[in-house]
Amino acid sequence: MSLVETLPASQRDILLKVDNISLSFGGVKAITNISFDIRVGEIRAIIGPNGAGKTSMLNVINGFYHPQEGTITFEGVPRPRMRPHHAATHGVARTFQNIALFRGMSTLDNIMTGRGTLMKRNLLWQALWTGPAEREEIEHREAVEKIIDFLEIQHIRKTPVGRLPYGLQKRVELGRALAAEPRLLLLDEPMAGMNREEKEDMSRFILDVNSQFGTTIALIEHDMGVVMDLSDRVVVLDYGKKIGDGTPDEVRANQDVIDAYLGVPHE
Amino acid sequence: MSPDFLYFIETVLNGLMSGVMYSLVALGFVLIFKASGIFNFAQGVMALFAALTLVGLLTGQVPFAHLIHAIFGVEAQHWGAGMPALLAVIGTMVVMIALAFLIERIVLKHLVNQEPIILFMATIGLAYFLEGLGDLMWGSDVKALDIGVPSGGSFWWEDVTREWAAEGSDYFGMYIDKLDVTAAIVAAVLVVALSVFSQYTRMGRALRAVADDHQAALSVGISLRTIWVIVWSIAGFVALVAGIMWGSKSGVQFSLSLIALKALPVLILGGFTSIPGAIVGGLIIGVGEKLAELYIGPLVGGAIENWFAYVVALVFLLYRPQGLFGDKIIERI
Amino acid sequence: MLYREAGDFKTSYRADQQTFPIRSERILFWAFIVAAFAVVPFFINDYWEKSVLIPFLVWSMAALGLNILVGYCGQVSLGTGGFMAVGAYAAYKLMTAFPEMNILLVIVLSGGVTAVVGMAFGLPSLRIKGFYLAVATLAAQFFLVWVFNKFPWFYNYSASGQITAPERLLFGVPVTGPNSPPWATYLVALTVVFVFAWIGKNLTRGRIGRQWMAIRDMDIAAEIIGVEPLRAKISAFAVSSFYIGIAGAMYFTIWFGAVEPTEAFGINQSFRALFMVIIGGLGSILGSFLGAGFLVLLPVLLKNLMVGQLGWATDIASHFEIMIVGALIIFFLIVEPHGLAQLWRLTKEKLRLWPFPH
Ligand SMILES: Nc1ncnc2c1ncn2[C@@H]1O[C@H](COP(=O)(O)OP(=O)(O)O)[C@@H](O)[C@H]1O
Ligand SMILES: [Mg+2]
């Protein structure tokens, strides 16, 4: 449970609100008329069977997909259609279901790239290096080293990420997202394919990010145990539709959700 | 009909003919790309190499004559009067198959799971190697190639078209090269043959399966490596045909390998995986080039044939990055 | 005591970010630079200048530029020859229109002109990827060469269609034209290349370099974490063409002195630069130099060996040359896709551990 508990989740401000979102690819309807919100400081889980439209939902939130219908309101402001890098500069960071690290670069460079949106020196300063550009680099390096310490990956700082084992790659990807100091962090199956121990580590990191930095998190996860432990509220998707929304306990008691997970055939 | 209109028709016809030549080279690209996902930049040089070998066999040249002379001081340019055309063509085909085998053995085998762009660059290296090898084996002078393909203007067609012009206008009839017509027919036959091959033979079906899915191909019971050798051999055959046509037309020389560069915009229009696409793309580029030279050329000083095709391809790509016949690219993450 | 890290601990991030983190390597590098600037000029002669050192420096510059685009930003270009032509013709027009202009300024401004042209031809990269883009850059290659052939304004209506570099002095010494002493042209080229190699290093080790590499490694993810593709790609095209333009300007002004576009800047030059980058090492500053050195020296060596020693005809030597180059490209792609620079790194690592391999 998140530690930002000055107020109960239900009374905190709304950070992100999606209204009546529909998205289709040609004939395939990936998302049908979905609405939900994410409150400041909470961990919001998005669950559902494969192909339910969870990843597509995250892609809509950070501007990679453009829904045919619906609106997105971020920090109280209705958000126009935007490109992904705009979403990033507005405080939305992301990890990916299939690892999308920059394979040719070291751990350090991957995470430093995540800070790109916060660095200001232009090409000419960079060309000169000595002076402002170098100072800026060092400043941000310090911030990145804190993240490296936080994620306990000091020993692989200079290793090309392509050579790292899967679990560590997932961790570096989290680091890259954190480096942007996001206000909303989208995690797409951060624990998929991990063993028990790795999952526990990752859960701890997610909780710590939420409590220490106060970052709001949207989390897609299949392991129900993890979801129940981590999240404040859960939204459940199935075949592109929302079939449940509420606290973990409420969702667990919801008949539609139980049916969806038990594979009751649709009429 | 007015002479202007007849000129227009003549230009279009000539464009179609040279378009067929581009299509012939593009066809080789498509075959290899479909079966192995490799963008074979060396296709043009393969055509050159095939043509050089063919001339060498026809005229009875000793391979590496210059080199042998340089090393051993033995002066041996020719070993006889040469071979009959049919035998020489068969001989060249054997060389091309051997080449396909070696390419698979020495190059492709080691690059199986590499990214497409790495394979692309490897074929650029291959192009250079073959170019050097061809020159070293057969010498780099321009050679005439004559295996009896009819050539020269068609008087019959000239007479026919002269009749079409309006009474009293001084129009002398259309020029069409018999060689171009032959090339068009050969290309058409080749396309039909390849389609039949890929539809109705076991091997052809296996090749198509590979294009879709490597696992599926394995289940057909033919190893991937064999398939690659076969595909490259077929591409070698297409290269030989293209080499004969181009060589008969303008002599066997280095510039022949540059038609590979012309085939690239053709592929962009037609898509990398579509045989009809290669044909249509070639025709569009051929006609477009000739018409542009006729109507736009004089405005800007001519010789725009050098770049027109690429600019068309570029502009076209901006609208349809996937080509004329390709599926829309949807990116996912 | 080469390559010993012992006692070489980093105490600050600045020290950790140095170009040469190991002290002995730093010393070696500077010794090399001092020799290049202060020793070589005393021994250089015409042959070394025109056949080895200037070609090496000019091609290093072009390879640096292309490596920024291909090796760092992952955008394959076959337009290098065309962009070098832009640099050369810009230099010619600047020299003849402003006879008083300092030659170094001419060279740098020519790079600037090429950067603008490069940005224009880079725009398609926003929609076109991979070898589709490579083909699109061919449009630049052929179009540009055609332009310089077709419009006499570019060659000041000279009868031959050639451009010829007028004599220009630097500190009273001619550095272009037939009267320029080898040491002077060499020092100009060396200075330019040295400065821009350093700038290239700076650009690639900071934010912009990381953004280029992010686009190269995974463009979609890069955009989602905040790299703007437009800026990253166009800046790579700009910087790359800037370098290549400078290479073209030097190629014309201090190397050949007179050029004609079709031969000097044809598609073969584009491939040549690409090969240098592959052989040297994609995404490596050092690799650009190694690749350029390799491909400049190889023909010289082959020629000395086959023509000079064995007495063969020159065309046999040149056929061997293209064969060997082609074979090497394949060899490197198979065995060491990271090129000579990686071989050097591995050797260093071995040296560092020597004589205790573990
Ligand atoms: N780029 C795309 N093109 C076509 N269909 C897509 C694309 N992205 C997602 N889909 C489809 O949308 C549906 C939802 O997919 P996704 O959001 O990845 O599901 P989940 O993450 O819940 O497993 C699936 O049917 C998928 O095939
Ligand atoms: Mg998913």
Side-chain angles (χ1 to χ4, degrees), chain A residues 50-51 54-56 97 188-189 220:
Chain A
N50 271 329
K54 306 179 296 295
T55 300
S56 301
Q97 182 172 353
D188 196 346
E189 305 197 15
I220 296 178

Side-chain angles (χ1 to χ4, degrees), chain B residues 166-187:
Chain B
E167 210 51 48
S169 59
D170 50 351
Y171 183 74
F172 300 110
M174 270 182 212
Y175 179 85
I176 283 206
D177 200 316
K178 279 183 268 184
L179 183 68
D180 288 337
V181 180
T182 316
I185 294 168
V186 168

